[in-house]
Amino acid sequence: MFITYVIVSSLMSVVLVASAGAKFTRPKRLVDQMSTLGLSYGMLPFLGVAQIAGAGGLIMGLGWGLIGIAAAVGLTLYFIGAVAAHLRVSDYKGAPPAAVLTSVAIVLIVLRVATL
C-alpha cells in the first residue's frame, strides 16, 4: 500500500506543480477561465501557493504520515471548491477534471491512513 501511496502522491504532486506554474505565469486561457468562474485575477497566486503547499505536504507525508493526511484533506477541500466553482457558473466542461482530482485526493487520504 505504501508503494501505491508513493506513486499516486508523486504523480499528484507533479500535476499540482504544473497547475501552480500555470497560475503563476497566467496564460490567457487560464485568466479567461478564472474570469468565467467569477474569481479575481488576484486569486491566482493564492491558488498556486495552495497547490504548491499541497504538493509539498504530500511529499513530506512520505516520511510523516500525519502531514500527508493533512495535505490530502486540504487538497480534497481545495478541489471540492473547484468543482463547486465550476458548477456554480454551469461550466460542465471544467467540473470533471476537478472532480477527478478530488477523487485522487480522497484516495490519497485512504492510502496514507492505511499505511500509518
Side-chain angles (χ1 to χ4, degrees), residues 40-57:
S40 71
Y41 186 72
M43 285 293 292
L44 288 175
F46 171 75
L47 296 173
V49 167
Q51 289 180 324
I52 294 290

Side-chain angles (χ1 to χ4, degrees), residues 84-102:
H86 285 282
L87 294 178
R88 181 177 52 96
V89 296
S90 302
D91 178 17
Y92 301 117
K93 288 184 179 180
V100 167
L101 292 171
T102 303

Side-chain angles (χ1 to χ4, degrees), residues 12 15-16 19 23 33-34 37 51 75-87 91-106:
M12 180 71 141
V15 168
L16 290 168
S19 179
K23 290 185 176 50
Q33 183 182 38
M34 292 297 131
L37 295 176
Q51 289 180 324
L75 288 169
T76 300
L77 296 173
Y78 177 93
F79 287 115
I80 287 172
V83 170
H86 285 282
L87 294 178
D91 178 17
Y92 301 117
K93 288 184 179 180
V100 167
L101 292 171
T102 303
S103 300
V104 172
I106 292 168

Side-chain angles (χ1 to χ4, degrees), residues 5 9-18 20 48-62 67-68 71-72 75 79 108:
Y5 174 77
S9 65
S10 297
L11 292 173
M12 180 71 141
S13 294
V14 168
V15 168
L16 290 168
V17 169
V49 167
Q51 289 180 324
I52 294 290
L58 291 177
I59 298 305
M60 287 179 13
L62 297 173
I67 293 291
L75 288 169
F79 287 115
L108 284 168

Side-chain angles (χ1 to χ4, degrees), residues 24-41:
F24 294 128
T25 59
R26 299 178 175 140
K28 182 175 176 8
R29 175 194 57 81
L30 183 65
V31 171
D32 292 344
Q33 183 182 38
M34 292 297 131
S35 174
T36 300
L37 295 176
L39 295 174
S40 71
Y41 186 72

